Amino acid sequence: MTLLHTALSWNFVLVTALCASLLAQLIKVLLNLFTFHRFIAERIWGAGGMPSSHSATVCAMVVATGRYCGVSSSQFAIAAVLSIIVMYDAMGVRYETGEQAKLLNRMFSEWVDQGAASFPFLGGKKLKEMVGHTPIEVLTGAVLGIALGFAMPMV
Protein backbone atom coordinates (compact mmCIF):
# COMPACT_ATOMS: atom_id res chain seq x y z
CA MET A 1 0.00 0.00 0.00
CA THR A 2 1.40 3.40 -0.96
CA LEU A 3 1.73 6.36 1.34
CA LEU A 4 -1.17 8.09 -0.45
CA HIS A 5 -3.45 5.07 -0.01
CA THR A 6 -2.51 4.84 3.66
CA ALA A 7 -3.26 8.55 4.16
CA LEU A 8 -6.54 8.30 2.24
CA SER A 9 -7.66 5.34 4.34
CA TRP A 10 -6.90 7.41 7.45
CA ASN A 11 -9.06 10.40 6.42
CA PHE A 12 -10.19 10.52 2.79
CA VAL A 13 -11.78 13.97 2.95
CA LEU A 14 -8.93 15.72 4.75
CA VAL A 15 -6.17 14.19 2.63
CA THR A 16 -8.04 14.99 -0.59
CA ALA A 17 -8.48 18.62 0.47
CA LEU A 18 -4.83 18.96 1.51
CA CYS A 19 -3.64 17.44 -1.78
CA ALA A 20 -5.74 19.98 -3.69
CA SER A 21 -4.22 22.81 -1.69
CA LEU A 22 -0.68 21.57 -2.29
CA LEU A 23 -1.33 21.04 -6.00
CA ALA A 24 -2.76 24.56 -6.40
CA GLN A 25 0.25 26.07 -4.63
CA LEU A 26 2.62 24.04 -6.83
CA ILE A 27 0.81 25.30 -9.94
CA LYS A 28 1.18 28.89 -8.65
CA VAL A 29 4.93 28.40 -8.24
CA LEU A 30 5.26 26.93 -11.74
CA LEU A 31 3.11 29.63 -13.37
CA ASN A 32 5.16 32.35 -11.70
CA LEU A 33 8.37 30.59 -12.73
CA PHE A 34 7.29 30.56 -16.38
CA THR A 35 5.77 34.04 -16.28
CA PHE A 36 8.54 35.92 -14.48
CA HIS A 37 11.43 33.54 -15.25
CA ARG A 38 12.41 33.38 -11.61
CA PHE A 39 11.48 31.41 -8.52
CA ILE A 40 9.24 33.34 -6.15
CA ALA A 41 9.33 31.49 -2.81
CA GLU A 42 6.34 33.40 -1.40
CA ARG A 43 4.13 31.63 -3.95
CA ILE A 44 4.67 28.37 -2.06
CA TRP A 45 2.61 29.55 0.92
CA GLY A 46 1.19 32.93 -0.10
CA ALA A 47 -2.44 33.77 -0.71
CA GLY A 48 -3.77 35.17 -3.96
CA GLY A 49 -2.83 34.32 -7.51
CA MET A 50 -3.74 31.70 -10.08
CA PRO A 51 -5.30 29.27 -9.23
CA SER A 52 -7.03 29.91 -5.93
CA SER A 53 -5.78 27.29 -3.49
CA HIS A 54 -8.62 28.21 -1.14
CA SER A 55 -11.15 27.31 -3.85
CA ALA A 56 -9.28 24.16 -4.82
CA THR A 57 -9.15 23.05 -1.18
CA VAL A 58 -12.81 23.60 -0.34
CA CYS A 59 -14.10 22.22 -3.65
CA ALA A 60 -12.00 19.07 -3.25
CA MET A 61 -13.39 18.82 0.29
CA VAL A 62 -16.97 19.11 -0.99
CA VAL A 63 -16.51 16.43 -3.66
CA ALA A 64 -14.65 14.10 -1.30
CA THR A 65 -17.34 14.57 1.36
CA GLY A 66 -20.06 13.84 -1.18
CA ARG A 67 -18.27 10.71 -2.33
CA TYR A 68 -17.49 9.51 1.20
CA CYS A 69 -20.57 10.55 3.18
CA GLY A 70 -23.15 10.98 0.41
CA VAL A 71 -24.61 14.15 -1.03
CA SER A 72 -27.65 13.97 1.28
CA SER A 73 -25.48 13.96 4.43
CA SER A 74 -25.18 16.81 6.89
CA GLN A 75 -21.40 16.73 6.39
CA PHE A 76 -21.85 17.42 2.67
CA ALA A 77 -24.20 20.33 3.41
CA ILE A 78 -21.71 21.85 5.86
CA ALA A 79 -18.85 21.44 3.36
CA ALA A 80 -20.90 23.00 0.56
CA VAL A 81 -21.92 26.03 2.62
CA LEU A 82 -18.37 26.52 3.89
CA SER A 83 -16.98 26.37 0.34
CA ILE A 84 -19.41 29.02 -0.87
CA ILE A 85 -18.41 31.34 1.99
CA VAL A 86 -14.68 30.80 1.39
CA MET A 87 -14.90 31.42 -2.37
CA TYR A 88 -17.13 34.47 -1.93
CA ASP A 89 -14.71 35.89 0.63
CA ALA A 90 -11.71 35.25 -1.65
CA MET A 91 -13.32 37.19 -4.50
CA GLY A 92 -14.95 39.86 -2.39
CA VAL A 93 -13.44 41.05 0.86
CA ARG A 94 -9.91 39.71 0.38
CA TYR A 95 -9.72 40.92 -3.25
CA GLU A 96 -10.83 44.41 -2.24
CA THR A 97 -8.28 44.41 0.58
CA GLY A 98 -5.56 43.81 -2.02
CA GLU A 99 -6.88 46.62 -4.21
CA GLN A 100 -6.83 48.99 -1.22
CA ALA A 101 -3.26 47.92 -0.39
CA LYS A 102 -2.16 48.75 -3.96
CA LEU A 103 -3.68 52.20 -3.69
CA LEU A 104 -2.18 52.89 -0.26
CA ASN A 105 1.27 51.68 -1.36
CA ARG A 106 1.13 53.99 -4.37
CA MET A 107 -0.01 56.93 -2.23
CA PHE A 108 2.78 56.39 0.32
CA SER A 109 5.34 56.08 -2.45
CA GLU A 110 4.21 59.29 -4.16
CA TRP A 111 4.17 61.21 -0.88
CA VAL A 112 7.72 60.09 -0.06
CA ASP A 113 8.88 60.93 -3.63
CA GLN A 114 7.40 64.43 -3.30
CA GLY A 115 9.41 65.05 -0.16
CA ALA A 116 6.50 64.73 2.22
CA ALA A 117 6.97 63.21 5.62
CA SER A 118 8.31 59.71 5.79
CA PHE A 119 6.26 56.99 7.40
CA PRO A 120 8.44 55.44 10.12
CA PHE A 121 5.55 53.36 11.43
CA LEU A 122 5.71 51.35 8.18
CA GLY A 123 9.37 50.57 8.68
CA GLY A 124 9.94 50.77 4.94
CA LYS A 125 7.53 47.92 4.34
CA LYS A 126 4.73 47.81 1.82
CA LEU A 127 1.29 46.42 2.41
CA LYS A 128 0.68 42.99 0.88
CA GLU A 129 -1.24 43.48 -2.36
CA MET A 130 -1.92 39.90 -3.40
CA VAL A 131 -4.40 38.61 -0.82
CA GLY A 132 -7.53 37.87 -2.82
CA HIS A 133 -8.61 36.44 -6.14
CA THR A 134 -10.29 37.44 -9.36
CA PRO A 135 -13.35 35.40 -10.38
CA ILE A 136 -11.31 33.47 -12.98
CA GLU A 137 -8.71 32.51 -10.33
CA VAL A 138 -11.49 31.27 -8.04
CA LEU A 139 -13.18 29.39 -10.90
CA THR A 140 -9.89 27.77 -11.95
CA GLY A 141 -9.19 26.71 -8.37
CA ALA A 142 -12.72 25.32 -8.05
CA VAL A 143 -12.35 23.27 -11.25
CA LEU A 144 -8.98 21.97 -10.06
CA GLY A 145 -10.45 20.98 -6.67
CA ILE A 146 -13.49 19.31 -8.20
CA ALA A 147 -11.34 17.35 -10.65
CA LEU A 148 -8.97 16.20 -7.91
CA GLY A 149 -11.89 15.33 -5.64
CA PHE A 150 -13.21 12.94 -8.28
CA ALA A 151 -9.74 11.65 -9.26
CA MET A 152 -8.66 10.57 -5.77
CA PRO A 153 -9.10 6.83 -5.29
CA MET A 154 -11.58 5.72 -2.64
CA VAL A 155 -9.92 3.23 -0.33
Side-chain angles (χ1 to χ4, degrees):
M1 200 148 135
T2 67
L3 180 61
L4 178 61
H5 279 81
T6 303
L8 288 169
S9 66
W10 170 70
N11 192 319
F12 178 74
V13 175
L14 178 61
V15 172
T16 300
L18 291 175
C19 285
S21 180
L22 291 172
L23 181 59
Q25 290 301 118
L26 176 64
I27 291 170
K28 284 183 195 184
V29 169
L30 295 175
L31 283 175
N32 277 276
L33 187 62
F34 290 122
T35 303
F36 302 112
H37 306 288
R38 63 187 173 95
F39 176 72
I40 303 171
E42 196 271 337
R43 292 290 78 213
I44 295 171
W45 60 82
M50 172 70 89
S52 165
S53 60
H54 290 86
S55 296
T57 303
V58 294
C59 286
M61 176 186 64
V62 168
V63 171
T65 303
R67 290 178 64 203
Y68 189 77
C69 301
V71 294
S72 61
S73 68
S74 296
Q75 293 94 326
F76 178 79
I78 292 166
V81 169
L82 177 66
S83 70
I84 291 166
I85 292 168
V86 167
M87 290 187 292
Y88 177 81
D89 182 63
M91 283 188 311
V93 175
R94 288 186 331 114
Y95 179 76
E96 286 302 319
T97 299
E99 293 300 302
Q100 291 172 7
K102 286 178 190 175
L103 179 63
L104 286 170
N105 284 338
R106 195 172 89 215
M107 288 170 53
F108 288 151
S109 178
E110 287 178 11
W111 287 338
V112 169
D113 289 347
Q114 293 174 1
S118 63
F119 299 95
F121 60 90
L122 289 177
K125 296 181 182 178
K126 290 189 170 212
L127 298 171
K128 185 173 178 181
E129 297 177 1
M130 190 179 261
V131 293
H133 295 283
T134 63
I136 192 71
E137 291 169 344
V138 170
L139 178 62
T140 304
V143 169
L144 175 67
I146 290 167
L148 187 68
F150 280 116
M152 293 298 265
M154 292 277 295
V155 289

